[in-house]
Amino acid sequence: MIHLIRVDVRLHTPMYLLLSQLSLMDLMYISSTVPNMVVNFLSGRKSISLLGCGVQSFFFLTMACSEGLLLASMAYDRFVAICHPLHYPIRMSKRMCAKMVAGSWILGSINSLAHTAYPLHLPYCRSRAINHFFCDVPAMLPLACVDTWVYEYMVFVSTSMFLLLPFLCITASYARVLFAILHMHSKEGRKKAFTTCCTHLTVVTFYYAPFVYTYLRPRSLRSPAEDKILAVFYTILTPMLNPIIYSLRNKEVLRAMERVFGMFFSKKK
């Protein structure tokens, strides 16, 4: 998807530039947890160094927060394109698109740095066996031998800012978009807009729902087994399905694949 959007000039629009960033985040996102998990599974070695845990936690949290903000930017893009099409070139200019992308990366990195540094400096006087397949903050806190309620409250605030608030904004945007779609006169335009919105909402649901449910629950209601099952959705399934959903359900992307890869194979022959 990243290569396709880069080489096909017809896809050089805000919607697809945001999609290319989403693909890059998904690639880094799944690479921060799955390779180490696979190595541990195949080798039988279930350990990770403190530095490795910090690096994994930093990149995981950076991608998680940045993708949450980026999905909100993509929802805003569709909202402007469908509800205010005449204002689209101004509201979603290349400069505005660049600001959205940069803001997602920067804010996600800053938040991740804070939530990586603090848990690593906690004193762990109990078992150091993390009941998870990666260094997840909620799984690390029960191992600390100090009261972490203040930090848990900060996790709640961060989750609300980077996940819950964007999710509510996306929901509001698409409610307005669906209302506008129902009043469209063009049947073809209505179908195209509805397909695009359903695709985005599918991704949003798979991503936000288990994430918010995991991080906003108090410790007393958490179950390690349940947390690991939910984590599979936002660490593996969603990043894996995003390129498939956006490519196979999008006619413009399919046509671009025919142009780019068809040209490549014709040259090879």
Side-chain angles (χ1 to χ4, degrees):
M1 288 297 295
I2 297 170
H3 173 71
L4 190 66
I5 294 170
R6 184 179 64 86
V7 300
D8 195 307
V9 294
R10 301 185 190 183
L11 299 182
H12 290 182
T13 62
M15 174 184 172
Y16 292 107
L17 291 176
L18 292 174
L19 179 55
S20 68
Q21 290 298 307
L22 179 65
S23 299
L24 176 61
M25 288 180 182
D26 283 334
L27 181 62
M28 296 177 66
Y29 193 13
I30 205 168
S31 298
S32 67
T33 57
V34 173
N36 185 70
M37 179 185 68
V38 172
V39 169
N40 288 343
F41 178 76
L42 295 178
S43 66
R45 178 183 61 86
K46 299 180 180 180
S47 63
I48 187 170
S49 65
L50 183 65
L51 177 61
C53 187
V55 171
Q56 185 183 67
S57 179
F58 173 76
F59 281 103
F60 165 75
L61 292 174
T62 297
M63 296 308 113
C65 297
S66 299
E67 185 163 327
L69 296 175
L70 190 72
L71 287 171
S73 299
M74 294 175 70
Y76 176 76
D77 173 79
R78 292 300 84 203
F79 167 73
V80 176
I82 295 173
C83 299
H84 303 282
L86 298 179
H87 296 167
Y88 186 79
I90 299 175
R91 293 193 183 184
M92 284 302 299
S93 62
K94 288 186 177 181
R95 186 175 181 180
M96 177 58 69
C97 185
K99 287 181 179 179
M100 288 180 171
V101 171
S104 299
W105 282 100
I106 293 172
L107 292 175
S109 300
I110 294 174
N111 181 72
S112 173
L113 184 62
H115 286 287
T116 299
Y118 186 83
L120 291 181
H121 285 83
L122 289 174
Y124 294 99
C125 55
R126 302 174 190 173
S127 168
R128 298 198 175 190
I130 301 174
N131 194 357
H132 217 299
F133 58 84
F134 70 100
C135 290
D136 194 21
V137 171
M140 295 169 63
L141 293 182
L143 306 179
C145 53
V146 295
D147 191 0
T148 59
W149 74 269
V150 175
Y151 178 68
E152 289 183 37
Y153 178 75
M154 295 307 299
V155 171
F156 177 86
V157 172
S158 294
T159 304
S160 299
M161 290 177 58
F162 285 89
L163 293 173
L164 184 59
L165 186 59
F167 178 69
L168 294 177
C169 292
I170 291 172
T171 304
S173 296
Y174 277 104
R176 181 66 180 84
V177 166
L178 291 174
F179 179 79
I181 290 174
L182 294 176
H183 290 79
M184 282 185 175
H185 298 293
S186 171
K187 185 177 180 180
E188 184 65 26
R190 186 165 61 244
K191 182 180 178 182
K192 180 180 178 181
F194 188 78
T195 301
T196 303
C197 292
C198 286
T199 301
H200 194 183
L201 282 174
T202 301
V203 174
V204 166
T205 302
F206 272 104
Y207 182 75
Y208 281 103
F211 226 138
V212 170
Y213 181 71
T214 299
Y215 280 77
L216 289 186
R217 282 182 302 164
R219 186 193 295 185
S220 59
L221 298 179
R222 286 179 186 151
S223 165
E226 190 178 50
D227 285 349
K228 283 185 281 189
I229 294 173
L230 290 172
V232 171
F233 284 91
Y234 56 79
T235 60
I236 300 175
L237 290 181
T238 302
M240 182 182 68
L241 292 175
N242 277 351
I244 299 174
I245 293 173
Y246 278 108
S247 60
L248 297 182
R249 291 179 62 91
N250 192 308
K251 292 181 179 180
E252 292 182 10
V253 172
L254 291 176
R255 286 195 289 265
M257 290 177 68
E258 292 177 0
R259 290 193 297 269
V260 174
F261 296 112
M263 185 185 303
F264 173 78
F265 286 119
S266 63
K267 287 182 179 180
K268 292 280 287 188
K269 291 179 181 180

